[in-house]
Amino acid sequence: MAKMFGEKALELIRELHRSSEGTLPPYNDDTLRQVLEEMRALYEENQKDVGATVAGEQGLFAGVQFRHASLERNKRCLLAYLYNRIQRIRTMRWEFGIALPKDIKENLSEQEVLWFNKYSKGLGDYMKSIGDAGLDLTQDMQPPKSLYIEVRCLVDVGEFETEDGTIILLKKNSQHFLRRSQCEHLIRQGILEHIV
């Protein structure tokens, strides 16, 4: 079976589309490099045919157009792949806070980790600049029904200091009545669960 241009680029898009919401598949560096290599080969072939056409050869224009369309399609697929990964990482920053879960952090490329750190720093700086004491915009993603909620600890964490200085021992299966603002990030990280 003959290889079609753009198959590898489409594979990246399909891989991202197949992953469920709230997850991030591993950064596919190998396929991305294969797409870039295909694009380089298409570009070089076009350069050769354009040079031949300038020298007076006829009938190469259709091939140049086809390869150029393939180049554009690969470029759009790569940009869509990278853009959608960044969108998911940004959403995760709002959901999980500064500390991404280990399984997600392992799936990021070096550049994505750098982007995440810069985005977190910029968001943190902005939140500190609001009002006198700053405002955590990542808290209360849904309007709270009450200020305090009952939570159950799912893993052994150890000591946890609340905003008022009280130290609470978070042991597996222990239950606590805490301010929603203090435990929302821990709920998103899977350390605590809200008892309804």
Side-chain angles (χ1 to χ4, degrees), residues 22-46:
T23 64
L24 192 67
Y27 185 77
N28 197 336
D29 195 41
D30 289 337
T31 305
L32 199 120
R33 287 185 192 282
Q34 289 173 11
V35 172
L36 291 173
E37 181 60 31
E38 179 182 296
M39 291 174 73
R40 186 191 60 73
L42 288 169
Y43 179 77
E44 288 175 356
E45 190 70 27
N46 269 1

Side-chain angles (χ1 to χ4, degrees), residues 124-189:
D125 291 346
Y126 176 71
M127 289 188 297
K128 286 178 190 171
S129 72
I130 299 173
D132 295 333
L135 176 65
D136 189 354
L137 298 173
T138 63
Q139 293 293 327
D140 297 324
M141 297 302 282
Q142 299 293 325
K145 293 181 179 155
S146 64
L147 295 178
Y148 289 86
I149 59 172
E150 191 171 358
V151 293
R152 178 182 297 121
C153 190
L154 300 175
V155 293
D156 288 328
V157 175
E159 294 183 344
F160 174 73
E161 186 174 350
T162 62
E163 291 173 354
D164 63 2
T166 306
I167 295 181
I168 298 170
L169 184 60
L170 296 178
K171 288 178 53 179
K172 187 173 183 175
N173 295 323
S174 62
Q175 294 185 9
H176 306 278
F177 196 64
L178 299 171
R179 285 185 65 92
R180 177 182 296 273
S181 62
Q182 293 178 340
C183 60
E184 196 165 79
H185 282 298
L186 296 173
I187 291 171
R188 287 190 210 134
Q189 292 176 7

Side-chain angles (χ1 to χ4, degrees), residues 47-190:
Q47 288 296 97
K48 187 176 81 174
D49 283 358
V50 166
T53 302
V54 168
E57 199 169 327
Q58 299 291 317
L60 300 174
F61 188 65
V64 170
Q65 281 188 311
F66 175 74
R67 285 189 295 272
H68 183 73
S70 297
L71 275 167
E72 290 293 318
R73 182 171 190 257
N74 280 354
K75 181 175 79 172
R76 284 193 308 273
C77 287
L78 287 180
L79 290 174
Y81 176 75
L82 296 171
Y83 176 78
N84 282 291
R85 285 185 63 86
I86 289 295
Q87 290 296 96
R88 288 186 185 193
I89 295 167
R90 181 181 349 165
T91 300
M92 289 175 187
R93 167 57 179 96
W94 284 85
E95 289 176 9
F96 299 119
I98 295 174
L100 285 176
K102 185 180 178 192
D103 60 326
I104 291 177
K105 198 163 193 170
E106 289 172 349
N107 292 339
L108 301 179
S109 70
E110 284 182 43
Q111 293 83 8
E112 288 172 332
V113 170
L114 287 172
W115 184 90
F116 177 79
N117 292 336
K118 287 180 181 178
Y119 182 75
S120 291
K121 183 182 180 336
L123 183 60
D125 291 346
Y126 176 71
M127 289 188 297
K128 286 178 190 171
S129 72
I130 299 173
D132 295 333
L135 176 65
D136 189 354
L137 298 173
T138 63
Q139 293 293 327
D140 297 324
M141 297 302 282
Q142 299 293 325
K145 293 181 179 155
S146 64
L147 295 178
Y148 289 86
I149 59 172
E150 191 171 358
V151 293
R152 178 182 297 121
C153 190
L154 300 175
V155 293
D156 288 328
V157 175
E159 294 183 344
F160 174 73
E161 186 174 350
T162 62
E163 291 173 354
D164 63 2
T166 306
I167 295 181
I168 298 170
L169 184 60
L170 296 178
K171 288 178 53 179
K172 187 173 183 175
N173 295 323
S174 62
Q175 294 185 9
H176 306 278
F177 196 64
L178 299 171
R179 285 185 65 92
R180 177 182 296 273
S181 62
Q182 293 178 340
C183 60
E184 196 165 79
H185 282 298
L186 296 173
I187 291 171
R188 287 190 210 134
Q189 292 176 7

